Amino acid sequence: MFQFILKRLAQGVVLLLIVSITLFLLMMEVGDPIATMGGRTVTRPSDRERLTRQLGLDKPIAVQYLYWLAGNDWTQIDTDGDGIPDKSGTRLGILRGDFGKSLVTKKPVTEMIAERIPNTLILMLASEVVTIFFALIFGIYSALKQYSTLDNILTTLLFVGYSMPIFFISLMSMYLFFILFKKWGLPYLPTVGMFDPEVGKTPLQVLWHMILPVMSLSVIYFAAYSRYIRGTMLEVLSQDYIRTAKSKGLPRRQVVYVHALKNAALPIVTVVGLDLPFLLGGAVVTERIFAWPGMGRLFLDHLSRADVSVVMGSLMLVAGAVVVFQILTDIVYAWLDPRIRYT
Amino acid sequence: MTAQTTSITQLSADDLTAPPLSLWQLAWLRFRRHKLAVFGCVTLVLLLLYSFGGAFVRTEAYANFNDTSRRLEPPSSEHLFGTDSIGRDILARTIYGGQISLFIGFVAVFIETILGILVGALAGYYGGKLDAFLMRIAEALLSIPTILLLLVMAKFFGGKIPEIHIAGRTFSGSVIVIIAIIGATSWMYLARIVRAEFLSLKENEFILAARATGTSNFQIIFYHILPNTFAPIIVSSTLSVANAILAEAYISFLGLGVQPPTATWGNMLESSAKYLDSAPWLWFFPGMLILLTVLSINFIGDGMRDALDPRSRAI
Amino acid sequence: MTSLLQVSGLRTRFHTPEGIVHAVNGISFHVNEGETVAVVGESGCGKSVSMMSLLGLIPTPPGEIVSGTAVFRGNDLFKKSEKELEDTRGREIAMIFQDPMTSLNPVLTVERQLIESLRVHLGFTKEQAQTRAVELLEQVGIPDAKRRVKDYPHQFSGGMRQRVMIAMSLSCAPSLLIADEPTTALDVTIQAQIVELVTRIRDSLHTAVIWITHDLGVVAGIADRVIVMYAGFIVEEANVDDLYDSPGHPYTVSLLAALPRVDRRRDQRLKSIPGAPPNMLIEPRGCPFAPRCEFALEKCRQKNPLLTQVGPNHTAACWVNPKTGALR
Amino acid sequence: MSDSTPLVEVKDLKKHFPVTRGIILQRKVGIVRAVDGVSFSIQRGETLGMVGESGCGKTTAGRTMLGLYPATSGSVTIDGEDILHARGKDQLAIRRKAQIIFQDPYASLNPRWSVNSIVSEPMRVHGLFASQKERAERAKDLLGLVGLSPHLLNRFPHEFSGGQRQRIGIARALASDPLFIVCDEPISALDVSIQAQVVNLLEKLQDQFGLTYLFVAHDLSMVRHICDRVAVMYLGIIVEVADRNELYEKPLHPYTQALLSAVPVPDPRKERERKRTILTGDVPSPINPPSGCRFHPRCPIAVERCKKETPEWREAAPGHWAACHLANG
């Protein structure tokens, strides 16, 4: 088992290297970072040149990647442009936990991500929990009552949820719960940000502001999850061992919740486990619409300004989480399914 | 011995266990029974009529004509869906936007399908190092959330392809970019499906029989195995069209997709959130059209899944 | 003497998108206490469906028991509520299935699966049930039972899993065991082990057995009485010796003639039955075997003969005596 | 059978499968010795039966000898030519002479191909006829030969029953005019009433074309009926070979004896009187076959010697070979 984890980790590292090289190459071409630095336009050619040198943008891509990856504190860099290296580098590289500094805010990327991660996680995890809770209830019910009227109605509705563009459901729910409710004099839900600046960031405020985005996200995830759970349950319920359990005269409850659910849990856990790391990436569209200061917004804002360190940092964070969660999922799977033993 | 000969001649057409229908005919019979799928088909045909037939009612010039004096007008008899923030007719723009959105959806999936089949077939059939190599690429692409990857790529290619002129019409180069990047970032799922199919089919006895005869690998891959993977490929590709249309809508909504003046349902929504209250028609009609399209395609895909299910042998 | 189980006019069908599958078309039979009845027939003849109908194990929909009664120890199984049926299943009537690979739950230990019925039906405590589980495994000849009871099904071989299934089904000492082709998926050497095991346990517990199979060889070794099914009908029923000595239905005659013998030198080609079993989607009319029958008359295509007495405790559903070719 | 050189000669054929662990980076942790040194020959026009329990390697042996799995070592000659080491055109030429029919009537025909395409494929691959039309004509003849109506040529496999599909498989195997056919459990998936049809057809075709069969099966009764000679396999090796009546009446190897005694006979009186040698335990794993005689852990008469020494393959009676220390003919 230990060997298996080591092996998977090694593979993961290789995978991350390939991903990072590819992304780095892409990022080199997404725009002119100098042009958008800090929101002000740098016009003087001499300033441009100095900045380019300072940022190491004059170096070949391979060197830039190396600096990004492993830092440049072991080498001298030329800051004044006289061709003689004069100052030792300060970057430690992503391998040593230094994600670099943002061109826009000048703050370390790790700090910026650390600021945003809780916001994203609170939104995404809440949606995930709400989703899984309802999806399990509905998925199991619907599988047990396959082809009942309620199953048919709900299954059709699921399709609508599944096909719903997230911005459309967001805009519609904003329109209904904010604008119309306000118009009708009902208590209306806020649509922008995490809290009312006048009240401050209290847990209650955050909760209140979360309702709409969480609802929008949940509708879409719910549809996908419950379809999957329903399908898995149906598959399991048609297995021979369920027939055996019934033939033993076990109460229906026991057949469903012990014999069927334990088997259905395997694929469900896998899917949830593999989805979890992607939550770190945030919900770009939702965060944009609801002005939620999360990872998705961070990514989007800094991508448009060609802020390489921030964009690379957040992408690599997700990719790294994907690798880790894949291994975790395998471990959980092995723990749940006695047939699988990694040696 | 006489008993033997009579028994052989007695075996005739009426001994067949199933009616003389091809597998496709059987699938069609089953598909027709799927009410939602039929509903999806009808809706999709209507949407295609709307987008492509609508061009005969409203010209493209009209769709791009901005009358700044009539900005943000609510739906009226003149502008059925209202006007946008620079006074263009939304109805006309949804017609031309629909053409592009649907075009992007179908062409991107065409690319995706070709890539997915090739990668999946080669990886699954030959296995070994080739398989490992191709699957690592797929994994690498899968380790970044699709929407983030699409945004990076859209930004990378943005503005690099000049405008194109086809049949007297001008399209933003971004249409090609979006098609290419959606195609390039979505083939992995299909490749995995095709690979799994190939892995299981290549051990099938009819493949062994072909190999025993001396049939070449090329023929086995393309004539023997591939036709047997059509069912999952068709289902997956159909559902992919819905996903591609959504993907285009998302990146265009975020402003990195198809660039104006070329309209798509996605980029019509780009700044509409600002007019959430003042001009809901701005986002309602394109949003509704996207929803309807995606929904009908998903219904069709589900119907196909049922119809092409290899587990049901009978009608 | 009243019989343990008396089934009358059982009719089961399945509603499929392709039409109605007439799986069981009104069969009646009985099983006495401690008796072994073999139900023989080819795949799709309704032998498994009819037995699963008895226990309410047919998924409904698409399955449907159209009519019939199944009186077990004085009560009609079809009139029982789901709860009452649960009490009967496993406790009074147990079942073992064809494929031991898929019939055990892969994620639960053998112990977990063994103690369930003991706890549900006999009210054992967990400790009592655990002790009993080991005893049961020892009884069915699983070596090192104390340790192996903690294993998962996949850690057992096919034959061993079938033993576990048998231990499970016999844990509450049922008065009827339905064995649905329990040896079909196994090799002959393992089949011999399982047949021997079931025979031994049957004799010690005095359990009645319904043994579903297509193998006329196995039947000869285990059954007291044989029921031959074809296309959802019972076409013949007889004591095992009578059936092999003087089969009364052309189908049985042909089946026996189509069978090579391991204990005899080959003398001639096998006698084959032309054609294939009928499509169960088509409502049966006339004798279902008529299209493949060498004795078929015009009458056979019109009217399906009822089971009639052709000897003591021997019934067959045929207008013709296959031995002489004359009308009965 | 005037020609005394055998049509098929298999010498020390081995097929080992590596056992790998791990999902991505696979590591070899052992070898399944599925076929571990098998030698036999088949005369022209003869049917050799190959029996054994599941996992004994009989199916793998049949498939490996046609090159369907790359052989680990050994040689197979068919009509004097080495099938395993030939390449390109030569290999194609030998493949034409050897064909195979399979167990599963559903998996053995391409569901997307018409009967015509299926039956014509060998002709197409081997360039036997100039035009598609001629091939279709020949396919019609072949259908007639296997007892199917020629007008079913353009139907698809799913329209046929199991027995009919098996006939189509036989027609395909005949299409390249082979000398030798490996029958890989051709009847075990069929109902009893259909089995006899297929077996009779195979015999009829053998008479008509002088075909040579390797009949792989686990149904010992049917093997006795159809085969001239029978080879018994256990854990990747052949433990006994003899003419059918010799083997069934005077089995020498204790495994063959046990196997035969386990086969039920459709005769209740006989069954009641029969004494069975009931083997204990299961077939051991072919990854680590037992030392000495591979059968010794289950053998009712095993002695100390059987654990250590691999029994010699010897002719106990004319044409009756067995590998057992204790067997004497």
Side-chain angles (χ1 to χ4, degrees):
Chain A
M1 189 72 189
F2 182 66
Q3 263 191 332
F4 166 79
I5 296 173
L6 275 187
K7 201 165 69 190
R8 291 296 307 269
L9 271 177
Q11 287 160 7
V13 169
V14 175
L15 185 78
L16 289 178
L17 275 177
I18 298 169
V19 171
S20 66
I21 292 172
T22 318
L23 288 175
F24 205 83
L25 289 173
L26 283 176
M27 284 307 296
M28 287 298 103
E29 290 282 331
V30 296
D32 180 2
I34 311 272
T36 54
M37 268 185 76
R40 63 203 153 78
T41 316
V42 184
T43 42
R44 289 225 308 270
S46 62
D47 284 354
R48 279 192 73 93
E49 205 186 307
R50 184 175 47 79
L51 277 168
T52 306
R53 248 194 335 271
Q54 270 179 5
L55 296 168
L57 295 176
D58 54 336
K59 296 275 190 316
I61 288 183
V63 175
Q64 288 190 41
Y65 175 74
L66 194 65
Y67 286 177
W68 174 83
L69 185 72
N72 60 1
D73 55 335
W74 38 271
T75 182
Q76 298 283 312
I77 46 172
D78 172 20
T79 46
D80 49 14
D82 55 4
I84 305 156
D86 47 53
K87 199 175 143 206
S88 78
T90 52
R91 292 167 62 181
L92 296 176
I94 197 161
L95 287 182
R96 286 180 281 169
D98 177 10
F99 282 51
K101 275 186 186 150
S102 162
L103 297 178
V104 181
T105 61
K106 306 288 187 297
K107 281 201 276 184
V109 174
T110 36
E111 204 176 286
M112 296 172 68
I113 289 179
E115 235 169 62
R116 295 296 187 96
I117 283 247
N119 299 350
T120 273
L121 281 186
I122 194 172
L123 179 70
M124 301 302 279
L125 283 179
S127 317
E128 186 83 3
V129 169
V130 170
T131 300
I132 292 173
F133 179 75
F134 286 107
L136 273 177
I137 294 179
F138 170 68
I140 294 170
Y141 171 84
S142 168
L144 292 178
K145 302 259 156 136
Q146 198 192 3
Y147 304 129
S148 68
T149 319
L150 192 58
D151 172 44
N152 282 336
I153 294 172
L154 285 172
T155 314
T156 310
L157 281 181
L158 281 188
F159 266 107
V160 181
Y162 186 70
S163 309
M164 184 71 84
I166 181 97
F167 49 74
F168 196 50
I169 181 102
S170 304
L171 293 171
M172 296 239 285
S173 57
M174 281 161 91
Y175 193 72
L176 175 66
F177 293 109
F178 178 62
I179 291 165
L180 289 183
F181 271 39
K182 201 170 174 183
K183 212 177 269 173
W184 298 334
L186 294 167
Y188 54 89
L189 290 165
T191 59
V192 176
M194 277 183 84
F195 53 87
D196 190 337
E198 283 170 26
V199 184
K201 194 173 172 180
T202 64
L204 205 66
Q205 271 290 319
V206 175
L207 207 64
W208 187 236
H209 279 75
M210 259 168 66
I211 296 177
L212 275 182
V214 166
M215 203 174 71
S216 306
L217 285 169
S218 301
V219 165
I220 285 158
Y221 293 155
F222 171 73
Y225 273 106
S226 33
R227 271 167 58 87
Y228 185 76
I229 292 171
R230 177 174 182 269
T232 310
M233 262 322 257
L234 281 176
E235 173 82 33
V236 168
L237 284 172
S238 70
Q239 297 293 313
D240 285 355
Y241 51 77
I242 297 299
R243 187 182 60 186
T244 307
K246 278 188 199 155
S247 80
K248 293 197 308 197
L250 301 182
R252 188 178 161 78
R253 245 177 318 111
Q254 205 167 333
V255 174
V256 172
Y257 294 103
V258 177
H259 283 264
L261 205 55
K262 196 147 186 229
N263 280 282
L266 296 171
I268 296 170
V269 165
T270 312
V271 165
V272 174
L274 295 179
D275 276 355
L276 279 177
F278 289 109
L279 300 186
L280 282 179
V284 185
V285 179
T286 319
E287 290 181 7
R288 163 83 166 251
I289 293 176
F290 291 100
W292 190 269
M295 292 289 288
R297 278 276 302 287
L298 182 76
F299 172 85
L300 199 60
D301 293 347
H302 290 261
L303 176 67
S304 60
R305 289 167 171 185
D307 192 350
V308 181
S309 319
V310 178
V311 173
M312 283 301 288
S314 33
L315 287 177
M316 291 317 292
L317 181 78
V318 178
V322 168
V323 167
V324 172
F325 271 78
Q326 261 167 3
I327 299 171
L328 286 178
T329 309
D330 282 341
I331 295 171
V332 173
Y333 207 105
W335 175 61
L336 283 175
D337 189 343
R339 283 165 296 186
I340 295 179
R341 286 283 171 268
Y342 303 109
T343 43
Chain B
M1 270 320 292
T2 44
Q4 183 62 32
T5 30
T6 48
S7 79
I8 282 173
T9 45
Q10 272 174 12
L11 290 164
S12 61
D14 38 58
D15 280 310
L16 289 182
T17 52
L21 293 170
S22 75
L23 289 176
W24 297 115
Q25 286 171 306
L26 291 175
W28 172 235
L29 282 179
R30 287 198 290 252
F31 185 80
R32 277 194 324 205
R33 260 195 280 270
H34 197 294
K35 288 193 201 90
L36 292 177
V38 174
F39 167 80
C41 274
V42 172
T43 315
L44 190 66
V45 168
L46 290 177
L47 283 161
L48 285 167
L49 268 179
Y50 175 79
S51 302
F52 290 92
F56 295 102
V57 184
R58 293 277 187 250
T59 62
E60 194 174 18
Y62 178 76
N64 288 336
F65 173 73
N66 46 339
D67 181 354
T68 37
S69 63
R70 314 196 57 173
R71 295 168 57 224
L72 295 174
E73 274 189 17
S76 63
S77 55
E78 196 182 340
H79 298 291
L80 274 179
F81 289 180
T83 61
D84 68 7
S85 53
I86 50 172
R88 293 175 295 198
D89 180 54
I90 291 183
L91 175 75
R93 286 188 72 73
T94 54
I95 289 172
Y96 287 91
Q99 291 180 5
I100 303 296
S101 285
L102 290 165
F103 178 75
I104 289 176
F106 285 101
V107 180
V109 167
F110 180 73
I111 295 173
E112 170 196 335
T113 307
I114 302 276
L115 276 174
I117 288 176
L118 274 181
V119 172
L122 293 177
Y125 187 76
Y126 288 104
K129 290 208 169 72
L130 182 66
D131 178 32
F133 173 71
L134 292 172
M135 285 303 109
R136 285 310 80 73
I137 296 181
E139 263 172 36
L141 282 170
L142 286 170
S143 66
I144 304 283
T146 317
I147 179 84
L148 302 188
L149 194 59
L150 280 173
L151 290 172
V152 172
M153 290 178 92
K155 188 89 175 132
F156 176 81
F157 288 105
K160 288 202 179 125
I161 294 180
E163 285 187 343
I164 32 175
H165 306 273
I166 299 167
R169 289 175 59 186
T170 307
F171 298 96
S172 158
S174 51
V175 174
I176 304 293
V177 169
I178 297 301
I179 289 174
I181 64 175
I182 292 178
T185 53
S186 54
W187 55 269
M188 299 83 70
Y189 300 96
L190 183 63
R192 286 187 162 187
I193 295 171
V194 175
R195 174 177 174 271
E197 289 283 321
F198 264 71
L199 277 178
S200 73
L201 280 166
K202 77 173 177 183
E203 298 299 330
N204 243 319
E205 291 179 345
F206 69 85
I207 300 302
L208 290 177
R211 279 174 40 206
T213 293
T215 309
S216 66
N217 281 337
F218 179 85
Q219 291 202 3
I220 290 179
I221 293 177
F222 291 101
Y223 297 130
H224 270 292
I225 307 186
L226 196 57
N228 282 288
T229 60
F230 279 167
I233 290 176
I234 289 172
V235 172
S236 159
S237 298
T238 307
L239 297 172
S240 288
V241 174
N243 285 332
I245 289 173
L246 273 182
E248 183 277 319
Y250 286 155
I251 32 185
S252 293
F253 175 82
L254 295 171
L256 290 168
V258 174
Q259 300 304 315
T262 305
T264 71
W265 289 336
N267 72 9
M268 289 179 70
L269 288 155
E270 190 192 335
S271 49
S272 61
K274 275 188 277 184
Y275 306 98
L276 178 68
D277 181 20
S278 54
W281 55 90
L282 226 58
W283 51 265
F284 181 78
F285 294 106
M288 202 63 202
L289 284 165
I290 296 174
L291 172 62
L292 269 181
T293 312
V294 173
L295 184 62
S296 55
I297 293 172
N298 280 335
F299 279 149
I300 295 170
D302 194 59
M304 285 183 170
R305 196 199 308 274
D306 284 359
L308 297 170
D309 186 351
R311 276 178 296 187
S312 52
R313 281 214 170 86
I315 307 171
Chain C
M1 175 181 148
T2 58
S3 43
L4 178 68
L5 172 72
Q6 175 73 54
V7 176
S8 316
L10 171 63
R11 199 176 282 274
T12 305
R13 51 189 193 190
F14 290 90
H15 298 268
T16 67
E18 298 77 50
I20 295 172
V21 176
H22 303 269
V24 181
N25 299 308
I27 60 167
S28 307
F29 65 95
H30 69 281
V31 180
N32 294 326
E33 298 262 6
E35 182 191 32
T36 301
V37 177
V39 180
V40 187
E42 297 176 271
S43 51
C45 72
K47 53 192 193 300
S48 291
V49 171
S50 48
M51 297 312 148
M52 299 224 282
S53 304
L54 298 182
L55 286 184
L57 291 176
I58 300 287
T60 39
E64 180 200 3
I65 296 171
V66 184
S67 62
T69 56
V71 180
F72 178 79
R73 291 192 180 281
N75 296 313
D76 187 351
L77 292 172
F78 297 147
K79 293 218 172 68
K80 288 193 176 189
S81 71
E82 184 61 25
K83 185 79 201 60
E84 290 167 323
L85 211 52
E86 275 168 14
D87 291 339
T88 312
R89 288 200 288 246
R91 172 76 191 81
E92 306 236 41
I93 307 177
M95 204 162 172
I96 53 180
F97 298 98
Q98 174 174 351
D99 193 345
M101 297 295 168
T102 56
S103 296
L104 289 169
N105 196 325
V107 302
L108 302 177
T109 60
V110 162
E111 178 180 58
R112 181 78 176 69
Q113 298 186 54
L114 274 168
I115 64 177
E116 277 174 336
S117 8
L118 293 169
R119 301 198 62 189
V120 168
H121 294 305
L122 305 180
F124 275 36
T125 65
K126 196 170 176 202
E127 289 69 31
Q128 283 173 318
Q130 279 170 336
T131 320
R132 182 84 186 110
V134 176
E135 286 168 17
L136 282 165
L137 286 190
E138 277 164 355
Q139 229 172 1
V140 296
I142 289 184
D144 200 7
K146 227 183 197 105
R147 192 175 54 81
R148 300 229 60 188
V149 74
K150 304 280 180 199
D151 281 353
Y152 289 92
H154 70 100
Q155 289 161 292
F156 291 83
S157 68
M160 287 293 157
R161 285 191 213 190
Q162 200 57 291
R163 285 170 190 267
V164 172
M165 273 299 287
I166 292 170
M168 228 159 75
S169 61
L170 296 171
S171 58
C172 303
S175 42
L176 175 63
L177 172 70
I178 301 176
D180 187 357
E181 308 222 23
T183 60
T184 304
L186 305 172
D187 279 311
V188 276
T189 56
I190 311 294
Q191 167 172 292
Q193 294 175 5
I194 297 293
V195 168
E196 194 255 0
L197 174 69
V198 172
T199 319
R200 182 163 56 78
I201 291 183
R202 170 195 70 186
D203 294 344
S204 71
L205 293 177
H206 196 62
T207 306
V209 177
I210 298 179
W211 187 286
I212 305 171
T213 183
H214 63 263
D215 188 332
L216 281 161
V218 174
V219 171
I222 194 167
D224 300 319
R225 207 147 46 80
V226 184
I227 291 170
V228 182
M229 283 189 74
Y230 188 79
F233 293 95
I234 290 180
V235 294
E236 182 164 7
E237 188 186 330
N239 286 329
V240 67
D241 289 0
D242 295 344
L243 188 95
Y244 287 84
D245 288 347
S246 54
H249 194 280
Y251 175 61
T252 321
V253 175
S254 315
L255 267 189
L256 286 168
L259 223 53
R261 297 270 298 250
V262 76
D263 57 338
R264 281 198 200 145
R265 290 194 176 205
R266 172 204 172 114
D267 39 14
Q268 57 191 4
R269 284 219 171 142
L270 295 171
K271 194 166 162 285
S272 69
I273 311 176
N279 186 344
M280 306 291 275
L281 279 169
I282 299 160
E283 176 104 47
R285 189 168 150 267
C287 171
F289 188 61
R292 303 173 75 189
C293 180
E294 54 179 312
F295 302 105
L297 308 166
E298 199 41 46
K299 189 180 181 183
C300 302
R301 298 184 209 283
Q302 303 305 327
K303 207 165 166 236
N304 191 11
L306 296 172
L307 275 174
T308 47
Q309 201 80 17
V310 296
N313 295 320
H314 190 164
T315 54
C318 185
W319 302 114
V320 180
N321 181 345
K323 220 180 263 173
T324 59
L327 271 174
R328 280 204 168 108
Chain D
M1 266 193 248
S2 55
D3 192 351
S4 64
T5 56
L7 178 75
V8 179
E9 271 205 279
V10 176
K11 285 202 183 111
D12 202 26
L13 185 69
K14 286 187 185 176
K15 175 64 200 170
H16 295 172
F17 293 99
V19 185
T20 51
R21 289 283 161 79
I23 292 166
I24 295 166
L25 271 188
Q26 296 199 325
R27 184 161 55 94
K28 215 162 103 172
V29 295
I31 296 169
V32 176
R33 298 166 189 276
V35 178
D36 205 16
V38 159
S39 305
F40 57 88
S41 59
I42 313 175
Q43 300 295 327
R44 285 170 201 272
E46 188 190 33
T47 302
L48 176 71
M50 192 168 258
V51 296
E53 291 171 279
S54 51
C56 72
K58 55 189 192 300
T59 287
T60 312
R63 291 178 178 187
T64 309
M65 63 180 282
L66 293 188
L68 291 180
Y69 304 139
T72 307
S73 67
S75 73
V76 177
T77 53
I78 292 171
D79 204 18
E81 288 166 282
D82 188 334
I83 185 168
L84 298 182
H85 299 97
R87 288 289 169 267
K89 273 213 164 66
D90 294 343
Q91 193 190 37
L92 209 57
I94 311 170
R95 286 204 185 286
R96 207 189 131 177
K97 294 182 192 167
Q99 283 292 325
I100 182 164
I101 53 183
F102 290 100
Q103 169 178 5
D104 186 344
Y106 290 92
S108 59
L109 303 179
N110 191 334
R112 299 277 171 200
W113 282 27
S114 70
V115 172
N116 185 17
S117 318
I118 291 170
V119 177
S120 312
E121 188 187 20
M123 301 180 240
R124 197 163 44 78
V125 169
H126 295 286
L128 293 192
F129 292 94
S131 72
Q132 206 166 347
K133 212 173 150 204
E134 281 174 84
R135 289 196 288 265
E137 277 309 308
R138 165 92 170 123
K140 272 188 190 170
D141 294 346
L142 287 166
L143 284 191
L145 207 56
V146 298
L148 288 172
S149 201
H151 69 261
L152 300 176
L153 200 62
N154 294 314
R155 300 301 185 81
F156 284 82
H158 69 97
E159 299 171 43
F160 295 86
S161 67
Q164 291 172 320
R165 283 158 171 258
Q166 213 56 317
R167 289 169 191 269
I168 297 170
I170 295 171
R172 169 180 56 195
L174 291 176
S176 64
D177 294 321
L179 300 169
F180 171 58
I181 298 179
V182 173
C183 304
D184 185 1
E185 306 228 22
I187 53 163
S188 46
L190 302 175
D191 271 319
V192 184
S193 75
I194 310 294
Q195 284 184 353
Q197 290 178 6
V198 172
V199 163
N200 287 344
L201 172 64
L202 286 173
E203 291 191 331
K204 184 193 89 168
L205 295 170
Q206 183 167 42
D207 293 348
Q208 206 167 339
F209 300 107
L211 293 169
T212 305
Y213 292 142
L214 174 69
F215 195 87
V216 177
H218 62 257
D219 180 345
L220 284 115
S221 315
M222 198 56 99
V223 166
R224 176 165 200 183
H225 179 82
I226 194 173
C227 300
D228 301 304
R229 251 177 346 122
V230 180
V232 182
M233 274 189 85
Y234 185 77
L235 268 185
I237 55 168
I238 295 180
V239 295
E240 185 163 5
V241 177
D243 281 350
R244 62 169 162 208
N245 289 333
E246 169 88 10
L247 187 101
Y248 280 78
E249 284 157 18
K250 284 181 233 143
L252 292 178
H253 200 283
Y255 177 62
T256 314
Q257 290 164 358
L259 209 54
L260 288 175
S261 95
V263 181
V265 178
D267 182 338
R269 286 172 228 282
K270 237 180 173 163
E271 276 288 301
R272 277 193 287 270
E273 285 153 21
R274 265 176 99 194
K275 291 271 173 292
R276 287 222 152 86
T277 324
I278 292 201
L279 288 179
T280 49
D282 297 299
V283 185
S285 152
I287 297 177
N288 279 311
S291 62
C293 171
R294 294 182 179 202
F295 185 57
H296 85 256
R298 296 174 81 196
C299 183
I301 57 167
V303 293
E304 202 49 37
R305 184 181 169 203
C306 303
K307 287 185 193 165
K308 292 172 195 134
E309 281 173 53
T310 307
E312 179 195 3
W313 180 239
R314 59 196 175 89
E315 194 168 17
H320 192 157
W321 295 73
C324 176
H325 294 304
L326 306 166
N328 29 38

